[in-house]
């Protein structure tokens, strides 16, 4: 859509073909595993995604980019994710994990917000795809309208502000 001029600005996470586009990095997030804070998960600091594919998952709704991405990774590893429930927010996902429904993969920022009021373990995923740089995309050589420029500045400012 951006290349064809139907959109002025796009936001992506991870590696995407940016040929013909100007990309502006504005933050990097990491996907992490969240699990209930139970004895079973105590002492586990890092895991590879392949090590938990046999577990039951709490997922994001079917049409979400993250759920599609994780489903594809699972398929590449020869597994279909066992989803117990699919929800519309990371906060709801973390609540279900804390209640023992399953485990989930969420952005680290969402896990940290939820850990302040829920009993969760945050486990670092060792997979390279878990580190997700985020970019704003513009059509190469396009003049940036003032309202688009203002939005880009607001996004950059938001992600540079202390949490």
């Amino acid at each position: 859509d951006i290349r064809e001029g139907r959109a002025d600005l796009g936001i992506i996470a991870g590696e995407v073909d940016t040929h013909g586009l100007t990309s502006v990095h504005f933050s990097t997030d990491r996907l992490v595993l969240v699990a209930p804070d139970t004895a079973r998960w105590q002492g586990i600091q890092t895991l590879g995604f392949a090590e938990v594919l046999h577990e039951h998952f709490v997922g994001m709704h079917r049409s979400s980019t993250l759920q599609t991405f994780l489903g594809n990774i699972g398929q590449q590893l020869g597994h279909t994710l066992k989803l117990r429930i699919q929800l519309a927010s990371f906060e709801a996902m973390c609540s279900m994990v804390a209640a023992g429904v399953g485990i989930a993969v969420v952005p680290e920022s969402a896990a940290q917000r939820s850990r302040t009021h829920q009993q969760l373990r945050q486990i670092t995923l060792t997979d390279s795809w878990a580190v997700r740089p985020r970019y704003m995309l513009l059509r190469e050589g396009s003049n940036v309208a003032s309202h688009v420029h203002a939005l880009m500045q607001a996004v950059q400012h938001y992600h540079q502000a202390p949490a």
Side-chain angles (χ1 to χ4, degrees):
D1 284 349
I2 297 167
R3 285 186 191 102
E4 292 85 34
R6 291 187 298 231
D8 294 325
L9 180 70
I11 295 181
I12 59 164
E15 299 306 319
V16 175
D17 175 22
T18 58
H19 180 73
L21 300 170
T22 299
S23 62
V24 178
H25 179 264
F26 66 90
S27 73
T28 299
D29 203 1
R30 169 181 279 283
L31 294 175
V32 298
L33 185 76
V34 288
D37 192 15
T38 60
R40 176 172 182 212
W41 297 99
Q42 292 293 321
I44 300 173
Q45 303 296 318
T46 62
L47 280 173
F49 189 57
E51 297 176 73
V52 294
L53 288 174
H54 62 283
E55 299 285 342
H56 289 279
F57 280 83
V58 172
M60 187 58 88
H61 58 87
R62 274 185 175 72
S63 61
S64 81
T65 304
L66 177 59
Q67 199 57 52
T68 301
F69 175 76
L70 293 173
N72 289 341
I73 296 289
Q75 291 294 325
Q76 291 170 17
L77 295 169
H79 290 270
T80 299
L81 296 183
K82 295 185 233 173
L83 292 165
R84 282 207 166 145
I85 189 170
Q86 290 181 269
L87 302 159
S89 75
F90 295 126
E91 183 179 346
M93 290 170 64
C94 289
S95 293
M96 289 293 111
V97 170
V101 174
I103 61 174
V105 175
V106 299
E108 184 176 40
S109 54
Q112 289 175 344
R113 280 191 305 273
S114 292
R115 282 180 65 199
T116 61
H117 60 276
Q118 296 183 62
Q119 297 298 311
L120 292 174
R121 302 246 347 122
Q122 180 179 315
I123 300 167
T124 300
L125 287 168
T126 57
D127 307 87
S128 62
W129 51 258
V131 177
R132 296 169 46 92
R134 295 188 284 195
Y135 301 92
M136 290 180 279
L137 301 177
L138 301 158
R139 201 167 19 141
E140 251 176 35
S142 65
N143 291 329
V144 179
S146 60
H147 65 279
V148 174
H149 185 56
L151 175 59
M152 292 175 70
Q153 285 184 317
V155 168
Q156 289 174 315
H157 178 73
Y158 176 83
H159 286 283
Q160 290 169 355

